[in-house]
């Protein structure tokens, strides 16, 4: 099979997938996306609960360190940039996918994963620094709620990275098959959802914490 034929098949598969997604009367593709939207909403409820808990306990320092004393906003800003850039590169991967180009799709996924790993690495370094300085989850209600919220988000990003790795393997094995395109759509929703949640964390936890 020639390269041109492979590209033609991939473009045809992509067009077929998009057509199926637009047709509400057919197939499990639409049902899969709807089901994944329901999952996203349930996950949003988990984060809403964690945000609410932090809102209640975020000022209970128990004589321990305050946000202004332990948060390093420049570092957090760099970490935020890593995740936002990963969202942009994932968007490029989706554009390449819709154009039926397999290798560029995989390439942008790899770049996305690198940004995601940088985000997780910086976050782990922040946690290690806080714990070394005695700002552990047991120190105060503020720190307990902080670690619960931020680590839950970090765990989701880690799961997303594993999903990207699996997706790269599946794309390498089966190419831009309609099933892989549907999985990419779900992964895209999941990844962008985590970006939105992090913007809330950065604003509500870090910025407001330092200001007040």
């Amino acid at each position: 099979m020639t390269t041109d034929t492979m590209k033609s098949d991939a473009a045809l598969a992509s067009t077929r997938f998009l057509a199926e997604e637009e047709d509400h009367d057919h197939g499990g593709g639409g049902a899969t996306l709807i089901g994944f939207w329901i999952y996203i909403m349930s996950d949003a409820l988990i984060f809403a609960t964690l945000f609410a808990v932090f809102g209640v306990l975020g000022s209970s320092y128990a004589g321990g360190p305050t946000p202004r004393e332990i948060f390093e906003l420049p570092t957090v800003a760099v970490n935020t940039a890593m995740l936002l850039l990963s969202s942009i590169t994932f968007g490029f991967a989706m554009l390449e996918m819709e154009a039926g180009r397999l290798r560029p799709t995989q390439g942008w996924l790899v770049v996305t994963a690198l940004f995601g790993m940088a985000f997780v690495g910086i976050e782990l370094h922040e946690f290690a620094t806080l714990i070394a300085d005695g700002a552990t989850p047991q120190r105060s209600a503020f720190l307990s709620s902080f670690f619960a919220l931020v680590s839950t988000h970090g765990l989701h990003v880690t799961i997303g990275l594993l999903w990207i790795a699996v997706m790269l393997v599946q794309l390498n094995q089966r190419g831009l098959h309609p099933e892989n395109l549907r999985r990419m759509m779900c992964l895209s929703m999941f990844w962008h959802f985590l970006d939105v949640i992090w913007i809330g964390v950065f604003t509500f936890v870090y910025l407001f914490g330092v200001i007040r």
Side-chain angles (χ1 to χ4, degrees):
M1 182 179 292
T2 65
T3 302
D4 290 340
T5 302
M6 292 175 64
K7 290 183 178 179
S8 177
D9 291 344
L12 181 61
S14 177
T15 302
R16 188 186 305 118
F17 168 75
L18 294 174
E20 289 175 355
E21 292 301 315
E22 292 175 356
D23 188 351
H24 297 290
D25 296 329
H26 289 284
T32 299
L33 294 179
I34 291 173
F36 198 78
W37 269 113
I38 294 173
Y39 159 73
I40 291 292
M41 288 187 287
S42 67
D43 223 16
L45 290 176
I46 295 174
F47 281 105
T49 301
L50 292 172
F51 274 113
V53 171
F54 184 85
V56 173
L57 303 178
S59 58
S60 300
Y61 307 128
T66 64
R68 186 174 298 181
E69 294 171 341
I70 63 174
F71 290 160
E72 297 181 3
L73 284 186
T75 301
V76 179
V78 170
N79 213 20
T80 301
M82 293 295 102
L83 199 59
L84 294 181
L85 286 172
S86 77
S87 184
I88 295 173
T89 56
F90 204 116
F92 288 151
M94 295 300 292
L95 291 175
E96 296 292 349
M97 181 197 78
E98 292 179 7
R101 293 190 283 265
L102 175 60
R103 295 307 176 192
T105 300
Q106 293 173 308
W108 283 116
L109 280 180
V110 170
V111 175
T112 299
L114 291 176
F115 279 127
M117 287 187 288
F119 173 85
V120 173
I122 294 173
E123 190 168 277
L124 290 175
H125 179 266
E126 179 191 25
F127 284 175
T129 301
L130 290 176
I131 292 172
D133 292 340
T136 62
Q138 298 84 2
R139 183 65 182 81
S140 65
F142 152 65
L143 287 168
S144 294
S145 58
F146 165 76
F147 275 99
L149 173 57
V150 178
S151 63
T152 298
H153 179 270
L155 177 62
H156 278 70
V157 174
T158 303
I159 293 172
L161 290 172
L162 294 174
W163 192 351
I164 289 176
V166 172
M167 197 72 251
L168 285 169
V169 173
Q170 291 178 331
L171 286 171
N172 192 57
Q173 291 178 342
R174 304 189 66 187
L176 295 175
H177 189 275
E179 291 181 0
N180 281 342
L181 302 182
R182 184 163 59 248
R183 292 164 184 155
M184 280 284 291
M185 293 289 289
C186 292
L187 177 55
S188 175
M189 287 191 289
F190 181 76
W191 197 259
H192 292 307
F193 167 73
L194 296 181
D195 288 344
V196 172
I197 295 297
W198 181 254
I199 291 173
V201 172
F202 178 70
T203 303
F204 185 57
V205 176
Y206 290 96
L207 285 182
F208 288 179
V210 171
I211 291 173
R212 65 185 178 186

